[in-house]
């Protein structure tokens, strides 16, 4: 081990920062977060340090650094662009055994500053021993996705109950199981979704039950998986994917996303290809409630956002009726995903002030839509499930008064490596559809904004 990791209590301790530029300011911010008493030595101060000085947050010695300036500091950081001064600060600090960090010069340091994930009171520090700050930053970004922002709140809540749990759970093993169930179970989830009071009540009750085995409590997570690219999942979706016992998914959810599930989770496919639902919706609703009632954590994974043409509402109605706890995690809906990856802004100050999402799903082979609302000027129209009815759609829009020249785009398998886009006019699109093999899922975008695709397209899928 090249460096020994420590967490240093700097509360109200005198610390010195040599240098007054932006880098020094960043170090001052860090020290300030640790409630240190910071003195800055520098003949000049950048704007943010000047602001701190005016606010009385730091002390300032307005001059170049000299050996005599080193008094009883507990930590010194040198962040000047003057190599001589940096070396001088380092030498004197080493002589006096004061921990010293010289920014970007590991050879002059007695300690290095790690990349920090701050979820106070939870702190995670990452270091590569100075070998590669970029790698440390990358690791930090990965860890950020693993450690929800509310972990700090959870730690505070657990601290509150710590001694109580110690007296109620004498057996250390049982105590450990108890805390594991808190951290991985519904109580933690309540904290993460902002229901702190319910979490406190549930924790109080659970502690009250003592060492008797606690009955498991199942729940359902209704999660939006986004349009396809796994990178577009939310942090919460990813975390729940890695903790759910059972994952119920349908056709729109890509394999790459399922790969992110916990290795030993049960995966249940419930279909949802057009007109050949593997399971009728009613059965899916009941199934979710049934599994959760067995004490399992069920993750219902849906393409895009569960509340946009996703029947999310119906599924949670059943859960509500059955008294099964649940939470809903929004996802990036296909319209946002397809629009971004196709370089077609859905609204634009010059072309569209509103955007309308409709379903083009054919009922009895006809499209039952409010055409007057659809053809409004300066509006973008997004049609979900519209591939089969695409030609009828073009025809009806023209019949109801939209210009035959209105641009229209068909975005296929948006955001994935298979993404393909056809751009044409309402008049010509039907011919283009006939001439191409089109793969679902496909989203249709109609409106002036579509013309911007030519200029703004940026995503080149790698097949
Ligand atoms: N809840 C989903 C929509 C489900 S309806 C969401 O919010 O995105 C299914 C329709 O969504 C498909 O018929 C298609 O029109 C659209 N869709 C979903 N994913 C898509 C993708 N990657 N590319 C293009 N269209 C997509």
């Amino acid at each position: 081990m090249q460096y020994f990791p420590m967490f240093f209590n700097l509360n109200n301790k005198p610390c010195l920062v040599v240098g007054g530029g932006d880098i020094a300011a960043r170090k001052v911010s860090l020290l300030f977060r640790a409630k240190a008493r910071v003195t800055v030595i520098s003949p000049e101060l950048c704007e943010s340090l000047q602001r701190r000085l005016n606010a009385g947050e730091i002390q300032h010695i307005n001059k170049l650094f000299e050996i005599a300036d080193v008094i009883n500091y507990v930590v010194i950081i040198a962040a000047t662009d003057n190599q001589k001064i940096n070396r001088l600060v380092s030498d004197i600090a080493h002589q006096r055994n004061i921990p010293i960090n010289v920014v970007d010069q590991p050879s002059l340091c007695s300690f290095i500053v790690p990349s920090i994930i701050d979820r106070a009171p939870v702190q995670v520090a990452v270091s590569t021993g100075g070998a590669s700050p970029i790698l440390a930053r990358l690791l930090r970004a990965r860890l950020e996705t693993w450690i929800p922002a509310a972990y700090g709140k959870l730690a505070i809540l657990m601290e509150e109950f710590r001694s109580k749990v110690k007296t109620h759970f004498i057996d250390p093993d049982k105590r450990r199981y108890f805390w594991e169930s808190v951290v991985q179970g519904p109580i933690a989830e309540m904290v993460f979704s902002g229901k702190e009071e319910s979490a406190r009540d549930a924790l109080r009750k659970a502690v009250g039950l003592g060492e008797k085995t606690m009955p498991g409590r199942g729940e359902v997570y209704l999660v939006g998986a986004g349009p396809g690219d796994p990178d577009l999942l939310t942090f919460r979706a990813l975390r729940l994917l890695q903790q759910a016992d059972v994952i119920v998914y349908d056709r729109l959810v890509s394999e790459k996303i399922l790969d992110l599930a916990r290795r030993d989770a049960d995966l249940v496919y419930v279909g949802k290809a057009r007109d050949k639902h593997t399971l009728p919706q009613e059965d899916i609703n009941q199934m979710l409630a049934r599994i959760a009632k067995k004490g399992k954590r069920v993750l219902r994974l849906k393409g895009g956002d569960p509340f946009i043409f996703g029947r999310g509402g119906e599924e949670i109605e059943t859960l509500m009726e059955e008294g099964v706890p649940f939470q809903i995690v929004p996802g990036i809906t296909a319209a946002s995903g397809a629009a971004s990856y196709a370089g077609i802004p859905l609204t634009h100050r010059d072309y569209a002030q509103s955007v309308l999402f409709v379903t083009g799903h054919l009922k009895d082979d006809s499209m039952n839509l409010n055409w007057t609302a659809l053809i409004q000027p300066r509006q973008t129209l997004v049609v979900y499930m519209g591939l089969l009815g695409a030609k009828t759609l073009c025809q009806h829009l023209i019949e109801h008064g939209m210009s035959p020249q209105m641009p229209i785009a068909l975005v296929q398998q948006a955001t994935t490596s298979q993404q393909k886009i056809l751009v044409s006019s309402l008049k010509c699109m039907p011919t283009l559809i006939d001439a191409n093999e089109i793969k679902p899922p496909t989203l249709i975008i109609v409106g002036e904004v579509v013309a911007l695709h030519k200029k703004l397209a940026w995503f080149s899928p790698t097949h």
Side-chain angles (χ1 to χ4, degrees):
M1 197 193 288
Q2 198 186 348
Y3 290 92
F4 182 75
M6 284 195 298
F7 288 87
F8 216 148
N9 182 356
L10 290 182
N11 194 347
N12 207 24
K13 297 272 167 39
C15 298
L16 175 66
V17 174
V18 183
D22 288 336
I23 295 173
R26 253 179 271 152
K27 301 297 169 192
V28 169
S29 290
L30 267 182
L31 293 171
F32 194 70
R33 260 157 68 185
K35 303 190 185 64
R37 266 191 291 131
V38 183
T39 300
V40 175
I41 297 184
S42 169
E44 274 160 22
L45 287 187
C46 69
E47 220 182 291
S48 77
L49 284 176
Q50 188 61 50
R51 233 180 295 125
R52 280 196 193 277
L53 180 64
N54 297 344
E57 293 172 354
I58 54 171
Q59 292 193 339
H60 180 211
I61 302 177
N62 193 349
K63 63 185 214 24
L64 277 174
F65 173 84
E66 286 165 299
I67 294 179
D69 293 325
V70 174
I71 46 171
N72 58 340
Y73 295 109
V74 295
V75 163
I76 301 178
I77 297 178
T80 78
D81 48 13
N82 182 324
Q83 296 298 323
K84 260 197 196 145
I85 290 187
N86 283 349
R87 181 167 290 281
L88 188 66
V89 181
S90 168
D91 286 348
I92 185 80
H94 274 99
Q95 266 173 37
R96 309 233 179 128
N97 280 328
I98 302 173
I100 166 79
N101 177 272
V102 181
V103 176
D104 282 340
Q105 283 183 271
S107 63
L108 298 183
C109 294
S110 67
F111 75 93
I112 53 177
V113 182
S115 272
I116 298 166
I117 298 131
D118 186 1
R119 302 279 191 271
V122 177
Q123 303 281 341
V124 181
V126 179
S127 159
T128 55
S132 167
I134 303 265
L135 186 61
R137 238 175 287 148
L138 186 106
L139 275 170
R140 195 192 111 192
R142 293 213 174 145
L143 288 167
E144 290 274 4
T145 69
W146 279 80
I147 305 171
Y151 255 37
K153 283 190 192 144
L154 180 62
I156 291 168
L157 182 69
M158 289 170 73
E159 159 120 85
E160 206 178 301
F161 282 84
R162 213 170 141 186
S163 60
K164 236 188 180 169
V165 170
K166 245 188 179 153
T167 48
H168 280 68
F169 295 77
I170 311 289
D171 176 347
D173 274 344
K174 292 214 170 122
R175 195 157 63 229
R176 182 164 49 85
Y177 294 151
F178 175 78
W179 279 130
E180 275 175 11
S181 76
V182 170
V183 174
Q184 290 169 1
I187 293 178
E189 281 312 319
M190 284 180 211
V191 176
F192 299 157
S193 54
K195 300 180 206 151
E196 262 176 272
E197 269 318 303
S198 317
R200 186 169 283 109
D201 286 346
L203 188 50
R204 196 174 295 123
K205 267 192 209 135
V207 176
L209 288 176
E211 291 191 350
K212 284 177 280 168
T213 43
M214 293 174 311
R217 198 177 76 141
E219 57 183 332
V220 173
Y221 314 130
L222 179 59
V223 177
D229 182 347
D231 258 14
L232 296 179
L233 278 174
T234 59
F235 287 173
R236 183 172 292 179
L238 178 63
R239 185 165 47 74
L240 294 177
L241 264 172
Q242 282 160 356
Q243 95 175 27
D245 304 306
V246 180
I247 291 165
V248 179
Y249 68 101
D250 48 48
R251 202 179 57 108
L252 275 180
V253 176
S254 72
E255 213 160 293
K256 278 193 184 150
I257 288 176
L258 289 172
D259 278 348
L260 297 169
R262 214 179 85 195
R263 286 284 157 236
D264 50 350
D266 288 336
L267 298 184
V268 182
Y269 175 67
V270 289
K272 270 279 164 100
R274 232 189 65 86
D275 289 339
K276 34 180 170 157
H277 292 184
T278 310
L279 268 189
Q281 185 65 46
E282 184 61 24
D283 291 356
I284 299 177
N285 302 356
Q286 291 300 335
M287 180 171 92
L288 297 177
R290 186 168 41 80
I291 307 176
K293 280 182 167 178
K294 282 193 203 153
K296 303 257 188 209
R297 291 166 298 186
V298 189
L299 189 145
R300 173 68 173 118
L301 194 56
K302 299 207 154 245
D305 181 275
F307 274 7
I308 295 185
F309 305 123
R311 296 196 168 195
E314 297 165 42
E315 294 180 9
I316 57 166
E317 255 175 59
T318 311
L319 299 174
M320 205 69 148
E321 284 160 18
E322 302 269 341
V324 174
F326 63 84
Q327 59 170 289
I328 305 162
V329 183
I332 292 180
T333 190
S336 297
S340 296
Y341 279 56
I344 301 174
L346 292 176
T347 63
H348 189 288
R349 278 199 296 177
D350 298 336
Y351 307 109
Q353 268 82 49
S354 64
V355 51
L356 196 62
F357 294 177
V358 297
T359 164
H361 189 63
L362 298 175
K363 238 187 193 165
D364 314 321
D365 281 341
S366 72
M367 262 188 180
N368 198 3
L369 291 167
N370 177 355
W371 297 103
T372 324
L374 265 49
I375 58 152
Q376 293 308 309
R378 303 176 75 76
Q379 169 175 274
T380 306
L381 179 63
V382 179
V383 188
Y384 286 71
M385 295 174 274
L387 180 55
L388 275 188
K391 289 194 259 178
T392 324
L393 177 88
C394 295
Q395 199 185 326
H396 279 47
L397 287 174
I398 295 173
E399 276 169 22
H400 284 84
M402 211 181 239
S403 158
Q405 305 313 323
M406 182 63 83
I408 170 171
L410 236 73
V411 190
Q412 307 163 51
Q413 301 179 301
T415 78
T416 72
S417 55
Q418 312 296 317
Q419 174 173 301
K420 266 200 200 127
I421 304 170
L422 291 183
V423 174
S424 183
S425 62
L426 286 182
K427 187 167 159 244
C428 303
M429 185 52 99
T431 325
L432 202 61
I433 291 176
D434 285 338
N436 282 274
E437 190 200 350
I438 296 173
K439 295 221 177 90
T442 298
L443 197 81
I444 301 172
I445 307 178
V446 183
E448 308 279 2
V449 286
V450 170
L452 292 166
H453 163 73
K454 232 183 176 171
K455 209 159 99 187
L456 303 181
W458 60 272
F459 175 63
S460 24
T462 45
H463 293 288

